[in-house]
Amino acid sequence: MTERFSSPSLSRRRLLMTTAGLAITAPVVGAAASASTVRAGGSITFLIDSLGDSWIPNNSAISSFQGHIWGHVTDKLVYVDADGKVSPWIAEHWQQNDNATEFTLKLKSGVTFSDGTPLDAAAVVANLDIWYAGRRSDRINPIGLFPKTYDRAEAVDAATVKVFFKAPTLGFIPTLGYHGSILISPKTIAQPSARQADLGKTSGSGPFLVEAWKEGDFVRLVKRKDYNWGPPAVGHTGPAFLDSITYKLVSEPSLRVSAVQAGQADVAYNASPQELVSLKAAGFTIATPRYLGFVNGLAINTRLEPYNDVKVRQALQAGINRREIIDTVYTPDWKLATSFIQSNVPGATDHSALLAYDPAKAEKLLDAAGWAKGADGIRAKGGKQLVLTLHSNPYLGTAKAIDELIAQQLGKIGWRVIIRSYDVVTYGERVKFGGPAVPAYEVTRSFIDAGTVASILTDANNGENWFALGESDPKINALRDKIATAGTAEIRAPLLDELQKYVLEQGYFIPRTQIVQRIYVQSPKIKGEIYNGIAYASYYTATKSQ
C-alpha cells in the first residue's frame, strides 16, 4: 500500500494532555444544520480504534470501522433513518408490482461520481450486479444482505432502472439504504481488487473526497464543493459545511477520550460505557444510537453436543440474567432485549417473557436432560462436563466483560464457561457461524429490513445457516419460505412474529442486550451530526464552532 501524504499524527504525550477550565455548553444532537443559519468551514478529527484491513468497497463497506468513511465519500439510492423510515436520495421515487418481484427506480439527474462519470441508470445496474454477485475470482465478495432472489437489472433510459427478482422481495427498497449498498463509479467497479483496495483510487459520489490516507494510520477527507444531491430527509442537500474530516487510528480507548477532553480531537469512537455518565456531566456530547439489526446475542450451533438438545438450549436461555448485564456493564442508555432483533426495527415484536431470568427453571431443564452436578458444582453427563466456550467479539468493546459476567451466572447453574479473545483479524479467520469449535457465535449484525432475517438464519439461497440446522427443522424453513414469498407487509408481519417466538423458544438464539455497538464522545463544538439507521454518525450536516 502506498502512503498518501503525511500522517496528521497525534503523539501519545499530546493525547494524554488535559485541559482545565473548558467552556462547555450543551449542544443539540442529531439536528441537521441549516445553510441559512450556519457558518461553513472547520475541520474535525475523529479517533477510531481500527481502520480495517481492506478498502475493497464490497468487502469493507459493511465494516463497523470503514463504514464511517464510506458513508461520507459515497451515496445510497435511498436514505434510512434511525427508526427505519425509508426516504428518497439518489432514487427520487420508485414503484413495485403487486407481488414485489419487479421494481422501477427513477433517479435524480445531474449526479456525478468524483471521476466525472454520471451516476445514471447504467451505473446503478453495475452496482446492483456487483452487490449481488461480487467477483469471487478476484476476491470481491457479494454484499451479504443484498437479496439473494435478485435476477437482473436493466437501464430503461438514463434515469430509469427496472429491477427483477425471482421471488417476492419486499425488503429490496429498504436494503438499498444498508451500509453495504454504497454507489461506486463503474470505472472503479471494473478495476481489479488490488486497485480497488487503494482507497485513493476509488470514486464515489458522496459529499467528501479522499485527500490522503495511510494504511493502519489515518484517512483524511475534504469537502466536495460541487456536491448538491444530499438526502432531503436530513434537511440539507448542498455541499457539506465542514472543510475536512480526519479519521485517525488510536487503539487505546482511554487515549481517544483523553484527546477529546484535551481539545486535541473532536470525536472519540467506542469509549467505555462506564465513562459516559461523567463525560456527559462534563458537557461532552454522548451518543449511543441503536442500529437496526440483531440484538447482541449468541447464535447456537445445534450440530455440537450438548447444544443439539433443546433442553440444554432452553436452560441457557433461562440462565442468563440480562438485567444484571445492563446494570453491571452498561448505563441506562442500554435496553433489555425483547426479541432477537432490536425493538426499533419495523416488524420487531415483544417476546420478553421468553427471556425472563429463571435459574430454577434452568436447573430443572438440565436435570431432565441428564446433566448432574458434581462436587465441584460443574454438571456432567457420560463423563463429560457441561462446557460453553465463548469467543469475545472484538467489534464490541464490552464483549469480554459481558462474557465474564455470563460465566459467573452460568457457573451457578453448573456450566463451565471458557472465554477466548482474539483481535479483529484472527477472530474473522477462526470464529465462524456453525464452526466445528464454536458452540455459540456472538452476533453484532445490522440489517435494514426484517424480512431478510429468515434467509440469513437458514441455508436457503446461500444463507448463512447460523444454527447449523440445514434441513433438520422443517418449521423454521417453512416460516422462512412463507416470509420470503409474502407479497405484502400485512401478510409478512404475523409470520415475522411467529419466527421470532419460535427461534427464542427453541433456544437457537440467546439474546443478551439490545446493542449499542457505536458509542460516540464528541466535543461540544460539533453540532448538527445525524445518526442513520445503521447508527453511523454523518458529519455531512455538521458544523464546528471556534
Side-chain angles (χ1 to χ4, degrees):
M1 185 64 64
T2 303
E3 180 177 343
R4 300 284 187 266
F5 301 92
S6 60
S7 167
S9 61
L10 286 169
S11 70
R12 181 182 177 90
R13 183 172 180 274
R14 288 179 65 200
L15 283 167
L16 289 172
M17 289 173 60
T18 57
T19 300
L22 286 174
I24 297 171
T25 57
V28 178
V29 180
S34 166
S36 61
T37 60
V38 303
R39 198 156 123 197
S43 299
I44 65 173
T45 299
F46 184 113
L47 304 184
I48 194 166
D49 41 331
S50 175
L51 284 171
D53 60 350
S54 170
W55 286 104
I56 298 169
N58 264 40
N59 299 4
S60 63
I62 61 172
S63 162
S64 293
F65 305 112
Q66 291 107 313
H68 292 276
I69 286 83
W70 290 122
H72 287 92
V73 300
T74 66
D75 296 319
K76 298 182 180 68
L77 286 162
V78 302
Y79 181 78
V80 179
D81 70 14
D83 297 317
K85 182 180 178 181
V86 179
S87 60
W89 192 348
I90 301 303
E92 290 191 303
H93 53 91
W94 49 86
Q95 295 176 321
Q96 68 181 58
N97 65 355
D98 290 341
N99 64 352
T101 58
E102 295 181 13
F103 295 79
T104 301
L105 309 176
K106 290 290 185 179
L107 308 180
K108 187 187 296 288
S109 62
V111 180
T112 59
F113 294 102
S114 58
D115 62 7
T117 304
L119 202 175
D120 58 9
V124 170
V125 170
N127 276 273
L128 292 171
D129 286 347
I130 197 78
W131 297 342
Y132 169 68
R135 199 158 66 232
R136 293 184 186 276
S137 62
D138 197 21
R139 294 171 296 141
I140 297 174
N141 299 328
I143 299 300
L145 289 184
F146 189 76
K148 295 175 176 62
T149 51
Y150 178 78
D151 183 15
R152 70 190 191 281
E154 299 174 357
V156 177
D157 56 42
T160 309
V161 179
K162 286 205 73 170
V163 189
F164 302 87
F165 292 87
K166 301 167 189 173
T169 308
L170 282 174
F172 171 59
I173 295 298
T175 300
L176 296 177
Y178 183 58
H179 60 311
S181 303
I182 59 171
L183 294 165
I184 298 293
S185 169
K187 291 181 180 178
T188 298
I189 291 172
Q191 295 293 331
S193 60
R195 188 172 176 87
Q196 287 192 30
D198 186 340
L199 181 61
K201 292 183 170 63
T202 295
S203 177
S205 61
F208 287 87
L209 308 170
V210 177
E211 181 187 63
W213 74 290
K214 181 181 179 183
E215 186 173 12
D217 188 358
F218 76 98
V219 177
R220 183 162 58 241
L221 310 179
V222 294
K223 170 168 54 177
R224 182 175 172 178
K225 295 179 181 179
D226 64 343
Y227 186 83
N228 194 32
W229 43 83
V234 304
H236 176 57
T237 57
F241 302 117
L242 293 170
D243 292 323
S244 69
I245 308 170
T246 298
Y247 289 88
K248 172 69 179 171
L249 178 63
V250 177
S251 58
E252 295 181 44
S254 61
L255 295 184
R256 296 195 297 272
V257 171
S258 295
V260 175
Q261 288 176 307
Q264 300 297 323
D266 302 287
V267 185
Y269 186 57
N270 281 352
S272 168
Q274 286 76 21
E275 296 181 89
L276 301 184
V277 172
S278 60
L279 288 166
K280 187 174 183 179
F284 293 93
T285 301
I286 306 300
T288 55
R290 287 181 299 154
Y291 61 41
L292 304 168
F294 295 97
V295 301
N296 176 233
L298 304 171
I300 302 302
N301 185 348
T302 63
R303 189 181 292 126
L304 297 182
E305 293 184 347
Y307 302 100
N308 57 346
D309 187 335
V310 65
K311 291 186 176 66
V312 174
R313 299 195 303 269
Q314 289 170 338
L316 189 59
Q317 194 76 282
I320 294 177
N321 187 339
R322 297 163 175 89
R323 170 50 64 187
E324 186 179 26
I325 292 173
I326 289 179
D327 291 345
T328 304
V329 178
Y330 291 124
T331 73
D333 295 310
W334 273 255
K335 299 179 183 297
L336 284 169
T338 58
S339 177
F340 66 88
I341 58 179
Q342 304 266 72
S343 62
N344 58 329
V345 173
T349 45
D350 190 338
H351 295 283
S352 301
L354 296 173
L355 304 178
Y357 177 51
D358 192 341
K361 175 183 176 182
E363 298 253 18
K364 289 179 181 178
L365 284 164
L366 292 173
D367 288 341
W371 292 91
K373 271 190 178 179
D376 59 358
I378 303 300
R379 291 178 180 268
K381 179 181 179 181
K384 295 183 178 180
Q385 287 188 328
L386 182 62
V387 175
L388 177 66
T389 301
L390 299 177
H391 299 83
S392 299
N393 191 327
Y395 290 97
L396 188 66
T398 54
K400 188 173 182 181
I402 296 174
D403 288 343
E404 290 169 348
L405 185 56
I406 287 176
Q408 295 174 21
Q409 295 171 353
L410 295 180
K412 297 174 183 176
I413 299 168
W415 255 283
R416 181 166 75 91
V417 179
I418 299 168
I419 300 172
R420 292 179 178 159
S421 299
Y422 302 119
D423 60 25
V424 170
V425 174
T426 308
Y427 184 86
E429 293 171 347
R430 296 191 184 182
V431 185
K432 309 285 185 184
F433 287 113
V438 182
Y441 182 97
E442 184 185 336
V443 173
T444 54
R445 175 76 77 86
S446 60
F447 58 80
I448 293 293
D449 182 75
T452 63
V453 169
S455 61
I456 296 170
L457 303 183
T458 66
D459 62 356
N461 296 315
N462 297 314
E464 296 179 11
N465 197 22
W466 278 13
F467 315 128
L469 289 167
E471 296 299 314
S472 66
D473 186 336
K475 182 167 183 177
I476 194 171
N477 288 341
L479 284 169
R480 169 200 69 203
D481 295 341
K482 289 177 182 177
I483 289 168
T485 56
T488 68
E490 290 73 22
I491 294 173
R492 195 177 69 173
L495 297 170
L496 285 171
D497 176 67
E498 187 176 357
L499 175 71
Q500 291 168 71
K501 180 181 179 184
Y502 183 70
V503 166
L504 296 174
E505 285 177 336
Q506 293 297 307
Y508 291 149
F509 193 107
I510 311 297
R512 306 199 311 183
T513 68
Q514 294 201 49
I515 189 169
V516 173
Q517 187 176 354
R518 315 192 209 288
I519 303 171
Y520 303 84
V521 176
Q522 183 173 284
S523 164
K525 293 182 179 180
I526 308 299
K527 296 182 180 180
E529 79 283 359
I530 291 177
Y531 302 92
N532 65 11
I534 311 297
Y536 282 111
S538 170
Y539 295 98
Y540 164 57
T541 56
T543 60
K544 181 179 180 180
S545 60
Q546 300 305 311

